[in-house]
Amino acid sequence: VQLVESGGGSVQAGGSLRLSCAVSGYTYRRYCMAWFRQAPGEQREGVAAIDSDGITTYAESVKGRTTISRDNAKNALYLQMTSLKAEDTAMYYCAATAGYCSRTLRLWELTYSYWGQGTQVTVSS
């Protein structure tokens, strides 16, 4: 199983970015997927998750500004972020786990078995 993120970069506050995660090595459509982020000196936190039925879950800190989506035909996961803030600055990681993932645990990092290497997002104020 391989997860490769892309789309990070530097943007001014109020701007937008779209992160992508290319997935290979398994039957993608059956996996629960998520985005996490980790700022320097901080713990990794869940940002958004999407299950195999397309049901989404968001952290309160990004709700209303962020959309997670998946394209099973392309084996891809996306994170569209708008109205970016300086506090969104972090390394963003794509994560996956097989089968069903409990709605209450979808933003918990121990739920996920597979991780990408991350893509950096820097928001300047």
Side-chain angles (χ1 to χ4, degrees), residues 44-109:
R44 191 176 296 186
E45 64 170 349
V47 176
I50 185 167
D51 69 9
S52 57
D53 293 324
I55 305 299
T56 57
T57 304
Y58 294 95
E60 286 298 320
S61 58
V62 302
K63 197 172 288 186
R65 305 187 292 121
T66 299
T67 302
I68 187 172
S69 61
R70 64 192 296 166
D71 186 332
N72 291 339
K74 295 182 179 180
N75 283 5
L77 178 72
Y78 305 101
L79 188 71
Q80 178 70 50
M81 301 187 291
T82 62
S83 302
L84 283 162
K85 306 174 182 178
E87 50 264 43
D88 294 319
T89 295
M91 184 72 78
Y92 283 71
Y93 298 91
C94 174
T97 194
Y100 173 77
C101 55
S102 165
R103 184 167 294 186
T104 59
L105 298 177
R106 285 178 188 170
L107 298 182
W108 188 41
E109 63 177 312

Side-chain angles (χ1 to χ4, degrees), residues 5-16:
E5 303 93 337
S6 62
S10 296
V11 63
Q12 289 192 330
S16 301

